[in-house]
Amino acid sequence: IFVSGISASFILLVLSLVLETQALTPTHHLTTTDVARLQAVLSQPFTDLKSAYYSVVGLSKLGISVADAATCRFIKSNLDPSSVESLFFAAEASQALPGCEIPVSNDTRDLLLATVSEDSTASQIHQSVSALSSLGLPLASQEVVSALKARISKEDNVLTIILALQTASRLSQQAELGEILEEIEDLAARLDDLGGVYLQFEEGLEATALFVSAAYALSDHVDMEPPLKEDQVIQLVNSIFSKKSWDSLSEAFSVASAAESLSNNRFHVPVIVSAQGPAAISHSQPFLRLQVTNVLCKPLSSASVLVESATATSSKSAILSQAPFTLRDGVFELNFMASQPASGYYQFSVAIAGDSRFVANHVELKVKVSTRVSINNMDLSVVDKDQSIGPKTTRVEYPAKAKASFMADSHQIFAMTFQLVDETTGVELTPHQTFVRLHNQKTGQEVVFVAEPDSKNLYKFELDTTERKTEFDSISGTYALYLMVGDATLENPILWNVADVVLKFLDEEAPSTIQAKTLYTPKPEIQHLFREPEKKPPTVVSNAFTALVLSPFLLLLILWFKLGANISNFTLSPSTVLFHIGHAAMLGLMYVYWTHLNMFQTLKYLAIIGSFTFLAGNRMLAQKAVKRYTHLLPVFSRPKCCTVITTKYIMNQQHHYQQSNIEH
Amino acid sequence: MSNSVISVISRFLEEYASSTPNKLKVIDAYLLYIMMTGALQFLYCLLVGTFPFNSFLSGFISCVGSFILAVCLRIQINPQNKGEFLSISPERAFADFLFAHTVLHLVVINFIG
């Protein structure tokens, strides 16, 4: 298990290395509509100084200048000279507006200089340094650098470092920015790689976009290439430009500044290549048109676009090699039809050269070449099965229909042959769909067959009525024959009613009407059968047997009477009475249990009555036993119903005992 | 053959009538009553069917149980068996008989449904 696990991970490693050697191309980019939308977001009327800053500076990054006196007045009137942040917004915005100057006083300058210290936050340092730089005031770069380094060591989060990078790009080039420059690499390592397609900070889109603009700003400032690989740049492009509508003005601003820095920096310029419209060529449209732009959708006119190779996907044969595109109206085009490609799909490998900064300048494109098809030599015939002598063939020209209808019964075979060729070149084609459809006008039935080409690309279709009678449900009649030809690379799909065919089937086992498939009609309802109650005997029988079962009780009473059983020995002592009452109560409880109670209630009552009865009964039986022992006679009373010994007999025995006692 | 059977039976009946104490005869009459009741219940079940089976079972078991308990009482009361039941007086036997009947009836009523 471990060996297979290790080998699997090794294979994965090798695969990932192999895949990484292929250059990435951007999967997400801003289109012209997206750029227009970004511009619209940034052009919204602003309510305060902060939104004014975002709008003005954002639009300037998109290359749109806002030359508006009203804006300048707004900025000046909303400026709060005691707040560093307010000064920062005003200074930056006024710099983007030509002819707008912010008045600066000594207090302002002192305030800004005082903010540059280790105790201020990174954002405060950034704002004061930017304001000082935009307002043209002198600042001590070394102090700023040490303050930034102290700040970074205290707060190691992403936004702090990004602000430090931005601040460093405003300092003089003589300052020691080396350590801060190294932060770019450390920060790049903190980016999350999502599926090899996206690279972004977990803090979100805004942080990623701000990182890109800060990193390139600083790199341009010190003229050192940022330590970002080409694939990483493309992944960053994917992350930043995948979102096409922005939650807030600050997010839109960050995207605009990232787009500007990726278009205009000195080191990496990602190239966006997209086909204008579908990448499909035909005789009517022989030019393949490509748009080659930067991330801001501005065409790269300095580029030269070249097709390195164009191979057919099916045959893998190269059609073109090193063919240049020509630039016309900002779009690069190539007349591919001039190379007379056969219809089908082609894999284009396009290279964009002209600037060493270009990133992702090798693109793979799939181009479709379509054509028109024409049907040649459509021959219809009816052949006798047993003989194959001279069938009568009728030639039909597209789009006409055969004049006479063809008759085929069980002894004959209906046959059809034709050729499909490219209209212009005459090359034989094998489209994906070549169907023969037979449609019975009366019953609405239709049967579809596939026509197959043989080795010489000649299409043949044969209909044997006996073989195929199940498809037709053996329904004879006139069938309209249609030929359907279609393919992705065909510009003119064909539906042609070629002829009418009268088919006669032998055994007319067909049903008179065709039943549409009853899959979705309601099924018959299931009636639920409740459990039948058991058959009971008639009441007469039950009553008769009840009487019969109770009859032995009468017999018992008679027998007892005959035996002389009686209750004459019944003493009326309290325990006896109580015992009998208790016992009767127990029997009554049994009846009540049967009718009303459950076991728990019965047991409760039984415990009460039973213990009472037990005590009374115990007493009673003890008295009886004592009486018996004292008389030395087995006197036994059965309080349940009748006793045996008569009082006379007892008295007799008592008398005898007393007599014998006196004698002794 | 039948002659000897008849003579055996008549002799048995004579002996029974003369030597059995009256108490035991009373219990014997009771036993006969119980047996007839049980037999009639069983006859009903055979003839008409076993619906509701639980009621039939409870009635039949009641008869069988009562018969057994009465036989036990008869054995324990019989003066000829006194030697074997020295610790059990007739009153005690009767008290046991009553207690066992209570339990039997509780079960029977529970099951009769």
Side-chain angles (χ1 to χ4, degrees), chain A residues 534 536-537 541-542 545 548-549 552-553 555-556 559-560 563 565 579 583 586 590 593-594 599 602-603 606 621 624-625 628 634-636 638-640 644, chain B residues 22-23 25-27 29-30 32-33 36-37 40-41 43-44 47-48 51 73 77 82 89-92 94-95 97-98 101-102 105-106 109-110 112-113:
Chain A
E534 299 239 7
K536 283 194 271 209
V541 175
S542 307
F545 267 97
L548 192 62
V549 162
F553 186 65
L555 177 68
L556 178 69
L559 279 174
W560 274 350
L563 283 169
F579 168 75
H583 195 236
M586 272 164 62
M590 287 295 137
Y593 173 32
W594 182 39
M599 179 64 105
T602 314
L603 283 178
L606 193 65
L621 285 175
K624 289 273 182 231
R628 180 164 61 82
V635 173
F636 179 66
R638 290 192 72 227
K640 193 164 186 178
V644 180
Chain B
N22 241 4
K23 278 187 285 160
K25 279 192 191 160
V26 167
I27 296 180
Y30 176 67
L32 181 70
Y33 153 66
M36 280 188 66
T37 311
L40 284 170
Q41 281 186 354
L43 182 73
Y44 171 83
L47 288 180
V48 184
F51 178 74
L73 180 67
I77 283 178
K82 213 163 178 190
S89 62
E91 286 77 27
R92 171 71 196 279
F94 183 64
F97 172 78
L98 283 182
H101 256 289
T102 310
H105 278 101
L106 197 65
I109 298 290
N110 183 34
I112 205 162

Coordinates of all heavy atoms in Angstrom, one line a residue, chain A residues 534 536-537 541-542 545 548-549 552-553 555-556 559-560 563 565 579 583 586 590 593-594 599 602-603 606 621 624-625 628 634-636 638-640 644, chain B residues 22-23 25-27 29-30 32-33 36-37 40-41 43-44 47-48 51 73 77 82 89-92 94-95 97-98 101-102 105-106 109-110 112-113:
Chain A
E534 N -63.0 -11.2 10.9 CA -63.2 -12.6 10.8 C -64.7 -13.0 10.8 O -65.5 -12.3 11.4 CB -62.5 -13.3 12.1 CG -61.0 -13.0 12.1 CD -60.3 -14.3 12.2 OE1 -60.9 -15.3 12.0 OE2 -59.0 -14.2 12.3
K536 N -67.8 -14.4 12.0 CA -68.3 -14.8 13.4 C -69.5 -15.8 13.2 O -70.2 -15.6 12.3 CB -68.7 -13.6 14.2 CG -67.5 -12.9 14.7 CD -67.9 -11.9 15.8 CE -68.2 -10.6 15.1 NZ -68.0 -9.4 16.0
P537 N -69.6 -16.7 14.1 CA -70.8 -17.6 14.1 C -72.1 -16.8 14.4 O -72.0 -15.8 15.0 CB -70.5 -18.7 15.1 CG -69.6 -18.0 16.1 CD -68.8 -17.1 15.3
V541 N -76.1 -19.5 17.7 CA -75.2 -20.6 18.1 C -74.4 -20.2 19.3 O -74.2 -21.0 20.3 CB -74.2 -20.9 16.9 CG1 -73.1 -21.9 17.3 CG2 -75.0 -21.3 15.7
S542 N -73.9 -19.0 19.3 CA -73.1 -18.5 20.5 C -73.9 -18.5 21.8 O -73.5 -19.0 22.8 CB -72.6 -17.1 20.3 OG -72.0 -17.0 19.1
F545 N -74.5 -22.1 23.0 CA -73.3 -22.7 23.6 C -73.0 -22.0 25.0 O -72.5 -22.7 25.9 CB -72.1 -22.6 22.7 CG -71.9 -23.9 21.9 CD1 -72.4 -23.9 20.6 CD2 -71.3 -25.0 22.5 CE1 -72.2 -25.1 19.9 CE2 -71.2 -26.2 21.7 CZ -71.7 -26.2 20.4
L548 N -75.2 -23.8 27.3 CA -74.7 -25.1 27.5 C -73.5 -25.2 28.5 O -73.4 -26.1 29.3 CB -74.3 -25.7 26.1 CG -74.0 -27.2 26.0 CD1 -75.3 -27.9 26.4 CD2 -73.6 -27.6 24.6
V549 N -72.6 -24.2 28.3 CA -71.4 -24.2 29.1 C -71.7 -23.8 30.6 O -71.1 -24.3 31.5 CB -70.4 -23.2 28.5 CG1 -69.3 -22.8 29.5 CG2 -69.7 -23.8 27.3
P552 N -73.4 -27.0 33.5 CA -72.8 -27.8 34.6 C -72.8 -27.2 36.0 O -72.8 -27.9 37.0 CB -71.3 -28.0 34.1 CG -71.4 -27.8 32.7 CD -72.4 -26.8 32.4
F553 N -73.0 -25.9 36.1 CA -73.1 -25.3 37.4 C -74.3 -25.7 38.1 O -74.3 -26.0 39.3 CB -73.0 -23.7 37.2 CG -73.0 -23.0 38.5 CD1 -71.9 -23.1 39.3 CD2 -74.1 -22.2 38.9 CE1 -71.8 -22.5 40.5 CE2 -74.0 -21.5 40.1 CZ -72.9 -21.6 40.9
L555 N -75.8 -28.6 37.6 CA -75.5 -29.9 38.0 C -74.7 -30.0 39.3 O -75.0 -30.8 40.2 CB -74.7 -30.6 36.9 CG -74.2 -32.1 37.1 CD1 -75.4 -33.0 37.2 CD2 -73.2 -32.5 36.1
L556 N -73.7 -29.0 39.4 CA -72.9 -29.0 40.6 C -73.8 -28.7 41.9 O -73.7 -29.3 42.9 CB -71.9 -27.9 40.5 CG -71.0 -27.7 41.7 CD1 -70.1 -28.9 41.9 CD2 -70.2 -26.4 41.5
L559 N -75.8 -31.7 42.8 CA -74.9 -32.7 43.4 C -74.6 -32.3 44.9 O -74.7 -33.2 45.8 CB -73.6 -32.9 42.7 CG -73.7 -33.8 41.4 CD1 -72.4 -33.8 40.6 CD2 -74.1 -35.2 41.8
W560 N -74.3 -31.1 45.1 CA -73.9 -30.7 46.4 C -75.1 -30.8 47.4 O -75.0 -31.1 48.5 CB -73.4 -29.2 46.4 CG -72.0 -29.1 46.1 CD1 -71.1 -30.1 46.1 CD2 -71.2 -27.9 45.8 NE1 -69.8 -29.7 45.8 CE2 -69.9 -28.3 45.6 CE3 -71.6 -26.6 45.7 CZ2 -68.9 -27.4 45.3 CZ3 -70.6 -25.7 45.4 CH2 -69.2 -26.1 45.2
L563 N -75.5 -34.3 48.3 CA -74.5 -34.7 49.2 C -74.7 -34.2 50.6 O -74.1 -34.6 51.6 CB -73.1 -34.3 48.7 CG -72.5 -35.1 47.6 CD1 -71.2 -34.5 47.0 CD2 -72.1 -36.5 48.1
A565 N -74.3 -30.9 51.4 CA -73.4 -29.8 51.8 C -74.2 -28.6 52.2 O -75.2 -28.3 51.5 CB -72.5 -29.5 50.5
F579 N -63.8 -11.5 55.8 CA -63.2 -12.3 54.8 C -64.1 -12.5 53.6 O -63.7 -12.4 52.4 CB -62.8 -13.7 55.4 CG -62.3 -14.6 54.3 CD1 -61.1 -14.5 53.7 CD2 -63.2 -15.7 53.9 CE1 -60.7 -15.4 52.7 CE2 -62.8 -16.5 52.9 CZ -61.6 -16.4 52.3
H583 N -63.3 -11.3 49.9 CA -63.2 -12.2 48.8 C -64.1 -11.9 47.6 O -63.8 -12.0 46.4 CB -63.5 -13.6 49.3 CG -63.0 -14.7 48.3 ND1 -63.9 -15.6 47.9 CD2 -61.8 -14.9 47.7 CE1 -63.2 -16.4 47.0 NE2 -62.0 -16.0 46.9
M586 N -62.8 -9.1 45.7 CA -61.7 -9.6 44.8 C -62.4 -10.1 43.5 O -61.9 -9.8 42.4 CB -60.8 -10.6 45.4 CG -59.7 -10.0 46.2 SD -58.8 -11.1 47.3 CE -58.2 -12.4 46.3
M590 N -62.1 -8.6 39.6 CA -61.8 -9.4 38.4 C -62.7 -9.0 37.3 O -62.3 -8.8 36.1 CB -61.9 -10.9 38.6 CG -60.8 -11.5 39.5 SD -59.2 -11.3 38.7 CE -58.2 -10.8 40.0
Y593 N -61.8 -5.5 36.2 CA -60.6 -5.6 35.4 C -60.9 -6.0 33.9 O -60.4 -5.4 33.0 CB -59.6 -6.6 36.1 CG -58.4 -6.9 35.3 CD1 -57.8 -6.0 34.5 CD2 -57.8 -8.2 35.4 CE1 -56.6 -6.3 33.8 CE2 -56.6 -8.5 34.7 CZ -56.1 -7.5 33.9 OH -54.9 -7.8 33.2
W594 N -61.8 -7.0 33.8 CA -62.1 -7.4 32.4 C -62.8 -6.3 31.7 O -62.5 -6.1 30.5 CB -63.1 -8.6 32.5 CG -63.5 -9.1 31.2 CD1 -62.7 -9.3 30.1 CD2 -64.7 -9.6 30.8 NE1 -63.3 -9.8 29.0 CE2 -64.6 -10.1 29.4 CE3 -66.0 -9.8 31.5 CZ2 -65.7 -10.6 28.7 CZ3 -67.0 -10.3 30.8 CH2 -66.9 -10.7 29.4
M599 N -53.8 -3.9 33.8 CA -53.2 -4.7 34.8 C -52.6 -4.0 36.0 O -52.7 -4.4 37.1 CB -52.0 -5.5 34.1 CG -51.2 -6.5 35.0 SD -52.2 -7.8 35.6 CE -51.7 -9.2 34.7
T602 N -55.3 -2.9 38.3 CA -55.9 -4.1 39.0 C -54.9 -4.5 40.1 O -55.4 -4.8 41.2 CB -56.1 -5.2 38.0 OG1 -56.7 -4.7 36.8 CG2 -56.9 -6.3 38.6
L603 N -53.7 -4.6 39.8 CA -52.7 -5.0 40.8 C -52.7 -4.1 42.0 O -52.6 -4.6 43.1 CB -51.3 -5.1 40.2 CG -51.0 -6.3 39.3 CD1 -49.7 -6.3 38.7 CD2 -51.2 -7.6 40.0
L606 N -55.9 -4.9 43.8 CA -55.8 -6.3 44.3 C -54.9 -6.3 45.5 O -55.2 -7.0 46.5 CB -55.2 -7.2 43.2 CG -55.3 -8.7 43.5 CD1 -56.8 -9.1 43.5 CD2 -54.6 -9.5 42.4
L621 N -59.5 -18.6 59.5 CA -59.0 -20.0 59.4 C -58.3 -20.4 60.7 O -58.5 -21.5 61.1 CB -58.1 -20.1 58.2 CG -58.8 -20.1 56.8 CD1 -57.7 -20.2 55.7 CD2 -59.7 -21.3 56.7
K624 N -60.9 -21.3 63.0 CA -61.5 -22.6 62.7 C -60.5 -23.7 63.1 O -60.9 -24.8 63.6 CB -61.6 -22.7 61.1 CG -62.7 -21.9 60.6 CD -64.1 -22.7 60.6 CE -65.1 -21.8 60.0 NZ -66.3 -21.7 60.9
A625 N -59.2 -23.5 62.9 CA -58.2 -24.5 63.3 C -58.3 -24.8 64.8 O -58.2 -25.9 65.2 CB -56.9 -24.1 62.8
R628 N -61.1 -26.7 65.7 CA -60.9 -28.1 65.2 C -60.0 -28.8 66.2 O -60.3 -29.9 66.7 CB -60.3 -28.2 63.8 CG -60.1 -29.6 63.3 CD -59.9 -29.5 61.8 NE -58.7 -28.8 61.5 CZ -57.5 -29.2 61.5 NH1 -57.2 -30.4 61.9 NH2 -56.5 -28.4 61.2
P634 N -61.7 -33.3 62.9 CA -61.3 -32.6 61.6 C -62.5 -31.7 61.1 O -63.1 -32.1 60.1 CB -61.0 -33.7 60.6 CG -61.8 -34.9 61.1 CD -61.9 -34.8 62.6
V635 N -62.7 -30.6 61.9 CA -63.7 -29.7 61.4 C -63.1 -28.9 60.3 O -62.0 -28.3 60.5 CB -64.2 -28.8 62.6 CG1 -65.1 -27.8 62.0 CG2 -64.9 -29.7 63.6
F636 N -63.8 -28.8 59.3 CA -63.2 -28.0 58.2 C -64.4 -27.2 57.6 O -65.4 -27.7 57.2 CB -62.6 -28.9 57.2 CG -62.1 -28.1 56.0 CD1 -61.0 -27.3 56.2 CD2 -62.7 -28.2 54.8 CE1 -60.5 -26.6 55.1 CE2 -62.1 -27.5 53.7 CZ -61.0 -26.7 53.9
R638 N -65.7 -24.7 54.7 CA -65.3 -24.2 53.4 C -66.2 -23.0 53.1 O -67.3 -23.1 52.7 CB -65.6 -25.3 52.3 CG -64.6 -26.4 52.4 CD -64.7 -27.3 51.2 NE -64.2 -26.7 50.1 CZ -64.8 -26.7 48.9 NH1 -65.9 -27.2 48.7 NH2 -64.2 -26.1 47.9
P639 N -65.6 -21.8 53.5 CA -66.4 -20.6 53.4 C -66.8 -20.3 51.9 O -67.6 -19.4 51.7 CB -65.6 -19.5 54.0 CG -64.2 -20.0 53.9 CD -64.3 -21.5 54.0
K640 N -66.2 -21.0 51.0 CA -66.5 -20.6 49.6 C -68.0 -20.8 49.3 O -68.6 -20.0 48.6 CB -65.7 -21.4 48.6 CG -65.7 -20.9 47.2 CD -64.6 -21.4 46.4 CE -64.7 -20.7 45.1 NZ -63.8 -21.0 44.1
V644 N -69.9 -29.1 55.3 CA -70.4 -30.5 55.3 C -71.0 -30.9 56.7 O -72.1 -31.3 56.8 CB -69.2 -31.5 55.0 CG1 -69.7 -32.9 55.1 CG2 -68.6 -31.1 53.7
Chain B
N22 N -67.5 -37.2 53.2 CA -68.4 -36.3 52.5 C -67.7 -35.1 51.9 O -68.0 -34.6 50.9 CB -69.5 -35.8 53.5 CG -70.8 -36.2 52.9 OD1 -70.9 -36.9 51.9 ND2 -71.9 -35.8 53.6
K23 N -66.7 -34.6 52.7 CA -65.9 -33.4 52.2 C -65.3 -33.7 50.9 O -65.4 -32.9 49.9 CB -64.8 -33.1 53.2 CG -65.1 -32.3 54.4 CD -63.8 -32.0 55.1 CE -63.4 -33.3 55.8 NZ -62.2 -33.5 56.2
K25 N -66.2 -35.9 48.8 CA -67.3 -36.0 47.7 C -67.7 -34.7 47.2 O -67.9 -34.5 46.0 CB -68.5 -36.8 48.3 CG -68.3 -38.3 48.4 CD -69.7 -38.9 48.7 CE -69.4 -40.4 49.0 NZ -70.5 -41.0 49.8
V26 N -67.7 -33.7 48.1 CA -68.1 -32.3 47.7 C -67.1 -31.8 46.6 O -67.4 -31.3 45.6 CB -68.2 -31.4 48.9 CG1 -68.2 -30.0 48.4 CG2 -69.4 -31.8 49.7
I27 N -65.8 -32.1 47.0 CA -64.7 -31.6 46.1 C -64.8 -32.4 44.8 O -64.6 -31.8 43.7 CB -63.3 -31.8 46.7 CG1 -63.2 -30.9 48.0 CG2 -62.2 -31.4 45.7 CD1 -61.9 -31.0 48.7
A29 N -67.5 -33.5 43.4 CA -68.6 -33.0 42.6 C -68.1 -31.7 41.9 O -68.4 -31.5 40.7 CB -69.8 -32.6 43.5
Y30 N -67.3 -30.9 42.6 CA -66.8 -29.7 42.0 C -65.9 -30.0 40.8 O -65.9 -29.3 39.8 CB -66.0 -28.9 43.1 CG -65.3 -27.7 42.7 CD1 -66.0 -26.6 42.2 CD2 -63.9 -27.6 42.7 CE1 -65.3 -25.4 41.8 CE2 -63.2 -26.5 42.3 CZ -63.9 -25.4 41.9 OH -63.3 -24.3 41.5
L32 N -66.0 -32.6 38.9 CA -66.8 -33.0 37.8 C -67.4 -31.8 37.0 O -67.4 -31.7 35.8 CB -67.9 -33.9 38.3 CG -68.9 -34.5 37.2 CD1 -68.1 -35.5 36.3 CD2 -70.1 -35.1 37.8
Y33 N -67.8 -30.8 37.8 CA -68.4 -29.6 37.2 C -67.3 -28.9 36.4 O -67.6 -28.5 35.2 CB -68.9 -28.7 38.3 CG -68.9 -27.2 38.0 CD1 -69.7 -26.7 37.0 CD2 -68.0 -26.4 38.7 CE1 -69.7 -25.4 36.8 CE2 -68.0 -25.0 38.5 CZ -68.9 -24.5 37.5 OH -68.8 -23.2 37.2
M36 N -66.6 -30.9 33.1 CA -67.7 -30.7 32.1 C -67.6 -29.4 31.4 O -67.8 -29.3 30.2 CB -69.0 -31.0 32.8 CG -69.3 -32.4 33.0 SD -71.0 -32.6 33.5 CE -71.9 -32.1 32.1
T37 N -67.4 -28.3 32.2 CA -67.3 -27.0 31.7 C -66.2 -26.9 30.6 O -66.4 -26.4 29.5 CB -67.0 -25.9 32.8 OG1 -68.0 -26.2 33.8 CG2 -67.2 -24.5 32.2
L40 N -67.1 -28.9 27.4 CA -68.1 -28.2 26.6 C -67.4 -27.0 25.8 O -67.7 -26.8 24.6 CB -69.2 -27.7 27.4 CG -70.2 -28.8 27.9 CD1 -71.2 -28.3 28.9 CD2 -71.0 -29.3 26.7
Q41 N -66.5 -26.3 26.5 CA -65.8 -25.2 25.8 C -65.0 -25.8 24.6 O -65.0 -25.2 23.5 CB -64.8 -24.5 26.7 CG -65.5 -23.6 27.7 CD -64.4 -22.8 28.5 OE1 -63.2 -23.1 28.4 NE2 -64.9 -21.8 29.3
L43 N -65.6 -28.5 23.0 CA -66.5 -28.9 21.9 C -67.0 -27.7 21.1 O -67.0 -27.8 19.8 CB -67.8 -29.6 22.6 CG -68.8 -30.1 21.7 CD1 -68.3 -31.4 21.0 CD2 -70.1 -30.4 22.4
Y44 N -67.3 -26.6 21.7 CA -67.6 -25.4 21.0 C -66.5 -25.0 20.0 O -66.8 -24.7 18.9 CB -67.9 -24.3 22.0 CG -68.1 -22.9 21.3 CD1 -69.3 -22.5 20.7 CD2 -67.0 -22.0 21.2 CE1 -69.5 -21.3 20.1 CE2 -67.2 -20.8 20.5 CZ -68.4 -20.5 20.0 OH -68.6 -19.3 19.4
L47 N -66.4 -27.3 17.1 CA -67.6 -27.2 16.1 C -67.6 -25.9 15.4 O -67.8 -25.8 14.2 CB -68.9 -27.4 16.9 CG -69.2 -28.8 17.4 CD1 -70.5 -28.8 18.2 CD2 -69.3 -29.7 16.2
V48 N -67.4 -24.8 16.2 CA -67.7 -23.5 15.6 C -66.4 -22.8 15.0 O -66.5 -22.0 14.1 CB -68.4 -22.6 16.6 CG1 -68.8 -21.2 15.9 CG2 -69.7 -23.2 17.1
F51 N -62.2 -18.6 16.4 CA -62.2 -17.1 16.6 C -62.8 -16.8 18.0 O -63.7 -17.4 18.3 CB -63.0 -16.5 15.5 CG -63.1 -15.0 15.7 CD1 -62.0 -14.2 15.4 CD2 -64.2 -14.4 16.2 CE1 -62.0 -12.8 15.6 CE2 -64.3 -13.0 16.4 CZ -63.2 -12.2 16.1
L73 N -55.9 -29.5 46.3 CA -56.7 -29.3 47.6 C -57.2 -30.7 48.2 O -57.1 -31.0 49.4 CB -57.8 -28.4 47.4 CG -58.6 -28.0 48.6 CD1 -57.8 -27.3 49.6 CD2 -59.9 -27.3 48.3
I77 N -56.2 -32.4 51.7 CA -57.2 -32.5 52.8 C -57.4 -33.9 53.2 O -57.8 -34.2 54.3 CB -58.5 -31.8 52.3 CG1 -58.3 -30.3 52.4 CG2 -59.7 -32.2 53.1 CD1 -59.5 -29.5 51.9
K82 N -52.5 -37.8 55.6 CA -52.0 -36.8 56.6 C -50.5 -37.0 56.9 O -49.8 -36.0 57.1 CB -52.8 -37.1 57.9 CG -53.0 -35.8 58.7 CD -54.1 -36.0 59.7 CE -54.2 -34.8 60.6 NZ -55.1 -35.0 61.7
S89 N -51.7 -27.8 57.4 CA -53.0 -28.1 57.9 C -54.1 -27.9 56.8 O -53.8 -27.2 55.9 CB -53.3 -27.1 59.1 OG -53.3 -25.8 58.6
P90 N -55.3 -28.4 57.0 CA -56.3 -28.2 56.0 C -56.6 -26.8 55.7 O -56.9 -26.4 54.6 CB -57.5 -29.0 56.6 CG -57.0 -29.9 57.5 CD -55.7 -29.4 58.0
E91 N -56.5 -26.0 56.8 CA -56.8 -24.5 56.6 C -55.7 -23.9 55.7 O -56.0 -23.1 54.9 CB -56.8 -23.8 58.0 CG -58.0 -24.0 58.8 CD -58.0 -25.4 59.5 OE1 -56.9 -25.9 59.7 OE2 -59.1 -25.9 59.7
R92 N -54.5 -24.3 56.0 CA -53.4 -23.8 55.2 C -53.5 -24.2 53.7 O -53.3 -23.4 52.8 CB -52.0 -24.4 55.7 CG -50.8 -24.1 54.9 CD -50.4 -22.6 54.9 NE -49.5 -22.4 53.8 CZ -48.2 -22.7 53.9 NH1 -47.7 -23.2 55.0 NH2 -47.4 -22.4 52.8
F94 N -56.3 -24.8 52.2 CA -57.4 -24.0 51.7 C -56.9 -22.6 51.3 O -57.3 -22.1 50.3 CB -58.6 -24.0 52.6 CG -59.8 -23.3 52.1 CD1 -60.4 -23.7 50.9 CD2 -60.2 -22.1 52.7 CE1 -61.5 -23.0 50.4 CE2 -61.3 -21.4 52.2 CZ -61.9 -21.9 51.1
A95 N -56.1 -22.1 52.2 CA -55.6 -20.7 52.0 C -54.7 -20.7 50.7 O -54.8 -19.8 49.9 CB -54.8 -20.2 53.2
F97 N -55.0 -22.8 48.3 CA -56.0 -22.9 47.2 C -56.5 -21.6 46.8 O -56.6 -21.3 45.6 CB -57.0 -23.9 47.6 CG -58.2 -24.1 46.7 CD1 -58.1 -24.9 45.6 CD2 -59.4 -23.5 47.0 CE1 -59.2 -25.0 44.7 CE2 -60.5 -23.6 46.1 CZ -60.4 -24.4 45.0
L98 N -56.9 -20.8 47.7 CA -57.5 -19.5 47.4 C -56.5 -18.6 46.7 O -56.8 -17.9 45.7 CB -58.0 -18.8 48.7 CG -59.3 -19.3 49.3 CD1 -59.7 -18.5 50.5 CD2 -60.5 -19.2 48.2
H101 N -55.8 -19.6 43.2 CA -56.9 -19.2 42.4 C -56.9 -17.8 42.0 O -57.3 -17.4 40.9 CB -58.2 -19.6 43.1 CG -58.9 -20.8 42.5 ND1 -59.4 -20.9 41.2 CD2 -58.9 -22.1 43.0 CE1 -59.9 -22.1 41.0 NE2 -59.6 -22.9 42.0
T102 N -56.5 -16.9 43.0 CA -56.5 -15.5 42.7 C -55.5 -15.2 41.5 O -55.9 -14.5 40.6 CB -56.0 -14.7 43.9 OG1 -56.8 -15.1 45.1 CG2 -56.1 -13.2 43.7
H105 N -57.0 -16.5 38.3 CA -58.0 -15.7 37.7 C -57.5 -14.4 37.2 O -58.0 -13.8 36.2 CB -59.1 -15.4 38.8 CG -60.1 -16.6 38.8 ND1 -60.0 -17.5 39.8 CD2 -61.1 -16.9 38.0 CE1 -61.0 -18.4 39.6 NE2 -61.6 -18.1 38.5
L106 N -56.5 -13.8 37.8 CA -55.8 -12.6 37.3 C -55.3 -12.8 35.9 O -55.6 -12.0 35.0 CB -54.7 -12.2 38.2 CG -54.2 -10.8 38.1 CD1 -55.3 -9.8 38.5 CD2 -53.0 -10.6 39.0
I109 N -58.3 -13.5 33.4 CA -59.0 -12.3 33.0 C -58.2 -11.4 32.1 O -58.6 -10.7 31.2 CB -59.5 -11.5 34.3 CG1 -60.4 -12.4 35.1 CG2 -60.1 -10.2 33.9 CD1 -61.8 -12.6 34.5
N110 N -56.9 -11.4 32.3 CA -56.0 -10.6 31.5 C -56.0 -11.1 30.1 O -56.0 -10.3 29.1 CB -54.6 -10.6 32.0 CG -53.6 -9.8 31.2 OD1 -54.0 -8.7 30.7 ND2 -52.4 -10.2 31.1
I112 N -58.4 -13.0 28.6 CA -59.6 -13.2 28.0 C -60.0 -12.1 26.9 O -60.7 -12.4 26.0 CB -60.7 -13.4 29.0 CG1 -61.9 -14.3 28.4 CG2 -61.3 -12.1 29.5 CD1 -62.7 -14.9 29.5
G113 N -59.4 -11.0 27.1 CA -59.5 -9.9 26.1 C -60.9 -9.2 26.0 O -61.8 -9.5 26.6

